[in-house]
Amino acid sequence: MRKIILAISIALITFGSAMADDSSGADFDWEMYRNLPVQERGRRKPLDTVARESVQQMFHSSGVADPETGRYLAPMALYLTMLFDWHGWAHPLPPEPPEGGTLIDAYFQSHEADKWDRAAMFPVDSDELRKALNMAPGEICLSAMTLKDATVLDPRFGQTLPLLEWVDMLARIDRKQLSKMEKKGLALGDGFATYLKHRMGIGLEILPIQGSRHEEWYSLALIVRSELNDENDPRGELRNVQKLFQMILATYHKRSPVDFQKSSADFLTEVRRLGPTLGEYPAQKDIDLETAYNCFTPFRWAWRLSLAAFFIASAGKFICRKTFYVAALTAFAAGILLAILGFALRIEISDRPPITNMYESVLSVGLGIALMGLACELAARKGFYLLEASAATALVLFLADSFPTVLDPSIHPLNAVLRDNFLLWTHVSVIMLSYAALARACLLADIRLGCVFVSRPSRDLVMELEKTTLLMLRIGTFLLTAGTLLGALWGDYAWGRFWGWDPKEVWALISLLFVLIILHARHVGWIGDFGTAVWSVFTFIAILVTWYFVNYYSAGLHSYGSGQSGEMIYINATLTIQLLYLFAAGLKRVYDNTAEKAP
Amino acid sequence: MISHLGFWKQLMTSSEPIKPSAASEPERKTSLLLAIGSMKFGIVLLGVLAAVLIFATLLEAHFGPGSGPILSNLYIYKSGWFIGLLGVLCVNIFAAILGTFPWKKRWGFLAMHSGVLVLALGAMLTFLFGLDETLSLVEGENTENFTQADWGAIKVMLPSKPDDRSPVVQSFFFKPGPFDWPEGKAFDFPEEHGVKLKIAKYFAHARADEQWAPSEGNRGEPAIRFAIVHEDETKMVERWLASEPLGGGGIPRIALLTATTDTMREDFLSPPGKEEDKGGVLSIHYGGRIQRIPVSANVGKKIPLDDRVEVEIVNYFADVKMTSPGQFESAGDEPKNPVVELHVYLPDRKEPLRELAFAKMPLMSLTAMRKQDCPVKFWYHQPAWLPAPAIEFLRTPDGKLYCRTSLEGKFESRGEVRWRSSVEIAKEFRLELTDYVPFAERKIVPVPVELSPDEKSMPGDAAQVEVEFGGAKKTVWLMRNDPKFGRQAIETPQGELHAAFGDKSMPLGFSLALVKCTREMNPGRMGVAGYSSKIRIIDRCRGVDREETIWMNHPLTYDKYTFYQSGMSDLQSGEKLSILKVTFDPGRWLKYLGSLLICGGMALRYLSRWKFHA
């Protein structure tokens, strides 16, 4: 398996590099920096990942325009441009590593504000926070210069505090107890601190510290801005790295792309040579694999192909039925294969199952919906399942791909309690598949409910929908039961508690009770096909509460899922639309039945 | 117009309702078994259960992370009515299984439903006989017990003679339950070692309200109630003060001292000046008189107090340091902690009584601590030791109260004070004496706490205990594990009896020692990667002495207990505290079997009906 993934990775590296975002016509070649191994937030990764994640965290975007030229800069180009543009490389580093409020002093004491500091690039996406920061009406972004002096009046502390001090205080409070404005403030402060750290090179750790007990690494700033001598650098290796970096800076400021490329290549070669001699250093193939994954974006291609499958299948209803059907099925299957490949790559990169945060759970559910849809289509061969499953898959994967501030795609080290791959695999993956089955049941139920608005719905279609909804409900029930019991087994094995009435567990049980009510109520004739559809929708709402809302509100044992809940407004809006649709379908049905019985 | 019921029926049922299968729905409801096992009844129960669970999670979310889980557990999940509801559901399932006998070709149904019953039986066994407790150990610590928080233990230490090093301690165990006891509910323990004990009241969550009331026979310590009053007559704070001083660390100290002789009033209000002896002045109180002796000039000398009583100043320590129990030396010449060692020669004793006089704690007495009767009292004044800013009160044996203040290293007498007296403490503030009890006994009155969403942490429980011993009967309030209010001394004719309220301690049956605990970090010290504890099990009965390591997701089972790594914390002393969970689950294998039956039964049932678009 590993060999297959590696073989695919080689292909991807070639393809991924070709697919890599254009560095916006800059004169310099930033590409060579992508594969530089760095350590950040407890994980070793390529600089490409750090650039993407930092830019996203700072500016809530995958890139920004150069404030002077207006040229769009992709993450790698932006990250390195800001790094090399910083003026303070010649200043010695403060004896204590700057943190919190001292970051601002450390930054501006050795650097004169430049175009990046003056450009309003930090989005403030909360009216309440804009008010607390005294922003002018219509102003939505702030510059680093403004944030430097920004103060916030927080009712919690009853005093006006400098932004980073306020953020430091908020960081000590349980996230669940923070208001929406405080959460936004925390995100803004974190983004600003990331900007300061990464521009100064403090956040860019490039070489292991020899003999470090906790596997700490040297930051670029520590190497370049320290006074190195025979005592602290007996072999002169760090001084060599320091010298090579100074050469990069010189060629960069001379705007000499050829010399820049050469000095960069020397620097990167030296760092890669030195790394393994100082401590545990990642294999280049692992770094290359992650870079390829970043550039290739398999999940993006998966939703694009699913969407294409939907359009092709829709067109096939009118023209070239067979050809279009085969093309749509092929596109959909290719999309599924790409999503599977994406999961395989994430497993290889993170060395754990890719089902540990909200982003990965949404992807898992998307893949589950796709696989079950494809299975239904292959069994029925009617084109209908292809249409609904491709649309649903495209939508779910699109959501996961398009809202990185809500569904964070970063790979982080696992919470200590989750470090049991076998039970994590079995429990979470079975649960995710059950969510997928019940999501499909809800989708089919919605289509069934929509039939009431059609004057003469096809009886075959209604029966087909009912049968498949029931099948999905049964599969969902089995998987949800098995997943919940596997979770209980894990809880018993890991913490000595089979069942702890944790809100997540309770809501899984509530969802299960909903499905059991449907299946039993059908059996005794209390509900028919319409009732089954209505209850299927309610069941999925219960699943949504289990999956998403509990993370937001609960304080139970599954609170490691917190902080992934993001923008409640989108979920609330979706739920409201769903309930209104349900209500409208119910009214229409009552109206139809009354009209039918009328003389 | 459609009725509500009609509306729902019309909405939910198909225009062509599915006919109920004859095998599953009883045709005749004459049989009680079929009625109890009715599927319709089961659906209602499932609906009620779902509604209750939704309510429970909403309740939990409303009350927040502090009290929410406790409330939902107390009032719902572990309540009798909820267990009853689950019981009714089990009876329904059991009756449904019996009602479908013989189970020809219905093995899936049988396995699935009987799995639920097996699971419920396992859960019941765990609920009734299981243990789920916490065991915290510091590196190097050894234990043979663990505590059971569900149980309470009233430990009574019987009066003992001064030389008795192992007094009798009798423990009384009771399971108080999760709620306040209603009025009239009490629990009597059988008499043990002559002690009759009764739990008269119990609050599940309570806060201490401290009260001081006059004691019988002019015994007990003094207590004052004071208020800090602003010049606009606003009371900033009002509280009781007894022997434990308040303030310090930058805030003026407020202290209440108890004089053992009336003559000490003079030492309190008019201490000797700084110009006197550099080694300080020792005030000797004897026979209603006060005698002040310069220390430096009299070290090694005997001072006669009358014909038969003498005091010898044995030693002067400028900065006292204990070298071994009862042995002292001076750490330097600078009087940082000056102490005078004395011998009191009494006519009825061959050996002199040893006494220590501390300048910093003038009323502390070695003889009093040793419960030795010494008619000579001392108050040692050291000019080099400057008092911190303070307001001090002194109660003399005649019940009078005196006050002095200290500012910039000088004492200023405020003379005798009474109820309603005021002492200026700053420009805008004054201290007002709102109550004074010269001989008081402390009464802890726990006030029950209503749980609310604002409650961040749950206050502990409190019990009112009636203790009868040696003909004396006393009622005291005790708060569980509270360092201040968890223990009370009770006067009895045989001496002082101590009662304390704590957790029940259970023997493990073997010894467990924490050898080392480790916190592993992610690369670059970014977040905790895991905790592990290396423990040593010593079981002499089985001849076991071995080391094992427990870490997250890797528990250790020994004897009937399973130990889990739950967490770790750093103590102020720099030591690491490993938090382990100790469990005993007699229903474990039944729960596993039940889970297997449910999943297997479901698979069997669905697979046997697998007809996709047949």
Side-chain angles (χ1 to χ4, degrees):
Chain A
M1 182 65 188
R2 209 180 152 85
K3 280 182 181 171
I4 297 168
I5 292 171
L6 283 175
I8 293 167
S9 75
I10 294 164
L12 282 180
I13 293 161
T14 321
F15 184 62
S17 301
M19 297 299 300
D21 4 32
D22 171 30
S23 293
S24 315
D27 304 325
F28 300 104
D29 177 18
W30 310 113
E31 292 303 313
M32 64 175 78
Y33 283 92
R34 277 188 198 281
N35 298 0
L36 175 67
V38 292
Q39 178 164 287
E40 201 218 13
R41 294 186 223 176
R43 198 170 76 82
R44 283 146 207 161
K45 45 185 135 176
L47 180 58
D48 181 69
T49 305
V50 174
R52 284 169 195 268
E53 289 175 359
S54 309
V55 169
Q56 185 63 48
Q57 193 187 7
M58 291 185 281
F59 311 127
H60 298 187
S61 144
S62 56
V64 293
D66 185 312
E68 278 176 4
T69 62
R71 182 189 284 172
Y72 175 79
L73 294 177
M76 200 67 226
L78 177 64
Y79 185 91
L80 291 174
T81 308
M82 291 200 304
L83 185 82
F84 295 139
D85 277 349
W86 196 61
H87 303 150
W89 290 108
H91 292 256
L93 204 64
E96 285 295 313
E99 272 300 330
T102 60
L103 267 174
I104 297 177
D105 296 336
Y107 183 90
F108 285 101
Q109 275 167 8
S110 45
H111 162 83
E112 206 173 295
D114 60 10
K115 60 181 179 182
W116 300 107
D117 300 319
R118 285 187 292 269
M121 299 191 301
F122 295 90
V124 184
D125 45 5
S126 152
D127 287 339
E128 218 182 329
L129 183 61
R130 281 197 279 268
K131 208 172 153 190
L133 285 164
N134 280 322
M135 288 171 71
E139 196 180 13
I140 51 164
C141 287
L142 289 177
S143 67
M145 285 297 285
T146 322
L147 287 173
K148 174 174 85 98
D149 303 317
T151 54
V152 183
L153 172 64
D154 189 310
R156 181 189 294 271
F157 306 113
Q159 54 179 320
T160 304
L161 294 164
L163 178 72
L164 288 190
E165 264 182 48
W166 177 59
V167 166
D168 273 354
M169 290 172 85
L170 292 180
R172 290 187 209 117
I173 300 169
D174 180 9
R175 221 184 131 76
K176 285 185 195 305
Q177 291 176 8
L178 296 181
S179 68
K180 191 183 168 193
M181 187 270 265
E182 288 173 333
K183 280 180 191 163
K184 293 283 181 189
L186 195 58
L188 177 69
D190 283 346
F192 182 45
T194 302
Y195 172 83
L196 299 173
K197 276 185 186 173
H198 283 270
R199 281 212 70 189
M200 283 193 278
I202 292 171
L204 182 58
E205 295 180 350
I206 56 167
L207 282 172
I209 297 175
Q210 201 161 21
S212 167
R213 196 176 144 219
H214 294 292
E215 300 174 45
E216 285 160 298
W217 281 35
Y218 290 112
S219 70
L220 181 65
L222 194 64
I223 296 171
V224 178
R225 296 173 63 193
S226 294
E227 274 190 39
L228 299 172
N229 48 43
D230 289 343
E231 206 173 303
N232 54 25
D233 179 30
R235 285 180 292 181
E237 287 160 331
L238 295 177
R239 275 172 283 179
N240 191 28
V241 173
Q242 198 178 49
K243 199 175 90 188
L244 290 169
F245 185 75
Q246 298 294 357
M247 281 174 68
I248 298 174
L249 284 178
T251 53
Y252 174 80
H253 288 295
K254 260 198 271 172
R255 316 301 293 174
S256 167
V258 178
D259 293 341
F260 176 81
Q261 193 167 352
K262 189 181 171 306
S263 54
S264 294
D266 292 345
F267 170 79
L268 293 171
T269 309
E270 179 59 13
V271 169
R272 285 195 185 107
R273 186 197 65 78
L274 197 54
T277 66
L278 296 175
E280 206 173 311
Y281 200 70
Q284 194 58 45
K285 62 177 173 38
D286 294 338
I287 295 292
D288 291 345
L289 185 71
E290 186 167 346
T291 314
Y293 168 80
N294 290 342
C295 298
F296 179 57
T297 58
F299 295 108
R300 187 165 300 163
W301 283 104
W303 74 254
R304 283 173 182 169
L305 281 168
S306 296
L307 191 65
F310 172 74
F311 285 123
I312 297 167
S314 305
K317 292 281 169 196
F318 307 103
I319 45 165
C320 302
R321 184 174 285 248
K322 201 173 175 185
T323 316
F324 274 60
Y325 176 73
V326 172
L329 204 59
T330 312
F332 188 46
I336 291 174
L337 282 176
L338 279 178
I340 292 170
L341 177 66
F343 273 111
L345 288 172
R346 277 185 86 91
I347 294 168
E348 188 61 27
I349 292 164
S350 61
D351 201 21
R352 60 170 163 81
I355 33 182
T356 55
N357 62 20
M358 200 48 127
Y359 169 77
E360 289 172 342
S361 76
V362 173
L363 289 178
S364 316
V365 170
L367 181 61
I369 290 172
L371 286 170
M372 287 179 202
L374 185 67
C376 287
E377 182 54 44
L378 291 176
R381 302 257 179 193
K382 287 183 180 172
F384 166 74
Y385 295 110
L386 179 61
L387 266 178
E388 57 89 11
S390 59
T393 308
L395 179 71
V396 174
L397 296 185
F398 168 77
L399 287 175
D401 188 46
S402 309
F403 298 96
T405 49
V406 181
L407 300 169
D408 181 10
S410 317
I411 297 170
H412 296 297
L414 269 189
N415 185 315
V417 80
L418 295 178
R419 294 182 186 217
D420 188 307
N421 279 356
F422 176 71
L423 287 167
L424 186 66
W425 258 118
T426 47
H427 163 58
V428 187
S429 55
V430 171
I431 285 280
M432 287 304 132
L433 280 177
S434 76
Y435 290 0
L438 295 171
R440 284 212 71 227
C442 174
L443 181 71
L444 296 166
D446 271 334
I447 299 171
R448 164 65 188 92
L449 292 173
C451 290
V452 297
F453 299 108
V454 182
S455 55
R456 281 183 188 174
S458 153
R459 194 174 166 77
D460 283 352
L461 177 68
V462 172
M463 282 180 67
E464 180 88 20
L465 282 168
E466 190 192 358
K467 278 179 187 173
T468 320
T469 306
L470 266 178
L471 178 70
M472 287 300 132
L473 283 175
R474 282 181 181 140
I475 293 174
T477 311
F478 173 69
L479 292 172
L480 190 59
T481 309
T484 307
L485 289 172
L486 279 167
L489 191 76
W490 184 13
D492 193 41
Y493 175 68
W495 308 300
R497 49 170 284 295
F498 188 83
W499 190 265
W501 297 110
D502 179 76
K504 196 100 173 169
E505 292 169 349
V506 175
W507 269 98
L509 180 60
I510 293 168
S511 309
L512 192 58
L513 290 174
F514 271 48
V515 203
L516 291 177
I517 288 170
I518 302 175
L519 297 177
H520 286 82
R522 272 186 65 83
H523 209 79
V524 296
W526 278 5
I527 58 171
D529 65 325
F530 192 84
T532 306
V534 171
W535 272 98
S536 301
V537 172
F538 280 124
T539 302
F540 189 64
I541 290 174
I543 289 290
L544 268 185
V545 176
T546 317
W547 188 13
Y548 191 85
F549 283 77
V550 172
N551 284 357
Y552 196 78
Y553 286 115
S554 88
L557 293 164
H558 293 78
S559 53
Y560 49 79
S562 66
Q564 304 281 348
S565 41
E567 302 289 346
M568 293 295 284
I569 190 164
Y570 300 124
I571 296 284
N572 288 340
T574 312
L575 275 182
T576 310
I577 292 168
Q578 174 66 75
L579 290 173
L580 285 174
Y581 176 71
L582 202 64
F583 183 66
L587 275 184
K588 179 71 170 56
R589 179 169 172 82
V590 171
Y591 172 79
D592 286 350
N593 283 0
T594 314
E596 215 171 88
K597 283 178 188 170
Chain B
M1 193 71 186
I2 306 163
S3 70
H4 284 293
L5 200 64
F7 175 87
W8 283 111
K9 198 175 175 187
Q10 199 175 3
L11 182 65
M12 291 300 180
T13 50
S14 165
S15 44
E16 288 170 44
I18 296 164
K19 285 184 182 171
S21 60
S24 61
E25 181 65 8
E27 288 169 0
R28 290 171 294 119
K29 294 194 175 177
T30 48
S31 162
L32 180 66
L33 189 68
L34 290 181
I36 295 169
S38 141
M39 195 182 282
K40 287 180 179 175
F41 182 47
I43 296 167
V44 172
L45 287 173
L46 290 179
V48 172
L49 184 60
V52 168
L53 293 176
I54 291 172
F55 172 75
T57 54
L58 292 177
L59 179 93
E60 198 169 326
H62 173 72
F63 280 91
S67 48
I70 298 169
L71 272 177
S72 58
N73 266 295
L74 295 190
Y75 290 99
I76 298 171
Y77 304 132
K78 288 183 181 167
S79 67
W81 66 267
F82 184 75
I83 294 167
L85 175 66
L86 295 178
V88 174
L89 188 63
C90 287
V91 170
N92 170 262
I93 293 170
F94 185 62
I97 293 171
L98 290 183
T100 52
F101 184 81
W103 307 294
K104 212 177 172 186
K105 290 185 181 175
R106 301 197 72 187
W107 299 114
F109 164 85
L110 180 67
M112 191 162 51
H113 288 77
S114 54
V116 176
L117 296 182
V118 173
L119 181 64
L121 185 66
M124 190 50 78
L125 280 178
T126 307
F127 184 72
L128 292 176
F129 308 110
L131 280 174
D132 186 355
E133 306 296 343
T134 303
L135 178 66
S136 300
L137 287 170
V138 178
E139 273 181 335
E141 194 183 342
N142 185 18
T143 186
E144 292 182 350
N145 302 297
F146 64 94
T147 54
Q148 277 188 282
D150 281 1
W151 284 76
I154 307 289
K155 286 183 185 170
V156 177
M157 192 167 80
L158 302 184
S160 60
K161 289 168 190 167
D163 300 331
D164 192 353
R165 292 195 171 205
S166 53
V168 177
V169 178
Q170 179 62 46
S171 297
F172 298 88
F173 301 120
F174 70 112
K175 202 167 188 177
F179 304 105
D180 292 353
W181 286 6
E183 202 60 45
K185 181 179 174 180
F187 187 82
D188 276 302
F189 293 96
E191 188 176 325
E192 295 276 355
H193 287 97
V195 181
K196 282 175 87 178
L197 201 83
K198 180 182 175 185
I199 309 290
K201 278 181 184 173
Y202 175 79
F203 295 142
H205 303 285
R207 285 213 174 86
D209 189 13
E210 192 181 13
Q211 302 283 347
W212 289 85
S215 64
E216 290 167 18
N218 279 4
R219 280 186 307 195
E221 57 180 315
I224 59 169
R225 190 171 176 83
F226 69 91
I228 305 291
V229 186
H230 191 256
E231 61 183 2
D232 63 6
E233 296 306 313
T234 316
K235 273 187 189 172
M236 308 303 288
V237 66
E238 184 170 4
R239 58 166 297 168
W240 282 98
L241 171 75
S243 55
E244 233 172 83
L246 299 171
I251 304 164
R253 205 170 72 103
I254 306 174
L256 175 56
L257 312 174
T258 308
T260 43
T261 67
D262 287 337
T263 48
M264 281 183 173
R265 178 186 61 238
E266 221 170 300
D267 276 321
F268 182 71
L269 297 177
S270 321
K274 283 188 178 180
E275 66 279 359
E276 293 186 37
D277 196 296
K278 282 186 182 173
V281 172
L282 181 73
S283 296
I284 305 173
H285 300 266
Y286 176 68
R289 288 183 294 121
I290 175 170
Q291 201 173 334
R292 285 182 169 169
I293 309 292
V295 172
S296 302
N298 290 290
V299 174
K301 291 182 184 171
K302 285 185 179 174
I303 299 128
L305 302 181
D306 63 14
D307 295 347
R308 298 186 303 165
V309 178
E310 282 181 329
V311 168
E312 182 188 357
I313 301 181
V314 181
N315 246 321
Y316 163 67
F317 305 106
D319 186 8
V320 75
K321 194 178 83 175
M322 190 189 277
T323 51
S324 58
Q327 300 301 312
F328 301 92
E329 65 174 30
S330 191
D333 293 335
E334 208 181 325
K336 287 181 181 171
N337 187 14
V339 169
V340 175
E341 186 183 356
L342 303 153
H343 280 171
V344 181
Y345 295 91
L346 298 170
D348 54 344
R349 290 184 74 103
K350 279 185 183 173
E351 293 297 315
L353 282 174
R354 189 172 177 235
E355 184 60 283
L356 290 171
F358 293 81
K360 283 186 175 180
M361 292 167 282
L363 294 170
M364 197 167 104
S365 159
L366 196 65
T367 51
M369 274 163 37
R370 288 178 173 172
K371 295 183 180 173
Q372 292 169 324
D373 189 26
C374 180
V376 189
K377 308 290 177 194
F378 304 94
W379 190 310
Y380 175 38
H381 305 270
Q382 167 56 261
W385 181 73
L386 299 176
I391 304 165
E392 291 178 334
F393 296 90
L394 180 84
R395 188 217 65 184
T396 48
D398 57 7
K400 288 182 177 170
L401 189 70
Y402 299 91
C403 177
R404 72 179 181 183
T405 56
S406 71
L407 198 67
E408 295 170 353
K410 281 182 186 172
F411 288 113
E412 191 182 323
S413 168
R414 300 296 177 112
E416 191 185 346
V417 286
R418 292 188 176 85
W419 178 62
R420 290 282 183 199
S421 294
S422 287
V423 182
E424 295 299 322
I425 53 173
K427 244 183 178 181
E428 300 166 351
F429 297 97
R430 67 174 196 276
L431 182 147
E432 195 175 291
L433 216 59
T434 55
D435 203 350
Y436 168 51
V437 188
F439 301 95
E441 61 179 352
R442 189 177 65 176
K443 285 197 170 165
I444 305 305
V445 184
V447 182
V449 176
E450 288 289 321
L451 300 179
S452 74
D454 303 327
E455 214 66 56
K456 291 246 165 67
S457 63
M458 299 304 301
D461 50 349
Q464 193 188 45
V465 183
E466 272 179 28
V467 187
E468 208 176 325
F469 180 71
K473 190 176 177 184
K474 197 100 188 222
T475 304
V476 288
W477 272 103
L478 296 169
M479 302 189 73
R480 192 197 292 235
N481 295 330
D482 190 297
K484 199 173 168 188
F485 307 124
R487 190 185 178 88
Q488 290 263 28
I490 297 165
E491 285 294 331
T492 68
Q494 280 90 337
E496 213 170 49
L497 175 148
H498 292 267
F501 184 16
D503 298 324
K504 184 183 176 187
S505 187
M506 282 285 290
L508 280 166
F510 51 91
S511 171
L512 196 78
L514 179 66
V515 180
K516 189 177 172 56
C517 58
T518 316
R519 182 187 283 114
E520 286 157 33
M521 307 293 286
N522 287 319
R525 301 169 66 94
M526 295 301 291
V528 178
Y531 308 102
S532 66
S533 294
K534 192 176 193 180
I535 59 159
R536 185 177 168 201
I537 297 170
I538 306 160
D539 189 345
R540 290 197 176 88
C541 298
R542 294 186 179 94
V544 174
D545 185 348
R546 63 165 194 255
E547 286 187 354
E548 296 273 357
T549 305
I550 306 168
W551 65 90
M552 293 221 159
N553 287 314
H554 190 273
L556 165 76
T557 301
Y558 184 77
D559 197 4
K560 63 177 186 178
Y561 301 111
T562 308
F563 299 90
Y564 300 84
Q565 184 70 58
S566 175
M568 194 171 286
S569 60
D570 293 307
L571 299 177
Q572 280 186 337
S573 58
E575 294 168 298
K576 281 185 197 156
L577 181 80
S578 179
I579 303 158
L580 304 175
K581 259 185 86 170
V582 189
T583 68
F584 164 62
D585 187 355
R588 169 170 293 154
W589 295 106
L590 280 179
K591 287 186 279 188
Y592 288 4
L593 177 66
S595 305
L596 200 67
L597 281 172
I598 293 171
C599 293
M602 266 189 181
L604 200 65
R605 186 167 165 81
Y606 291 156
L607 284 177
S608 66
R609 292 179 162 209
W610 184 266
K611 290 181 220 165
F612 188 85
H613 296 279

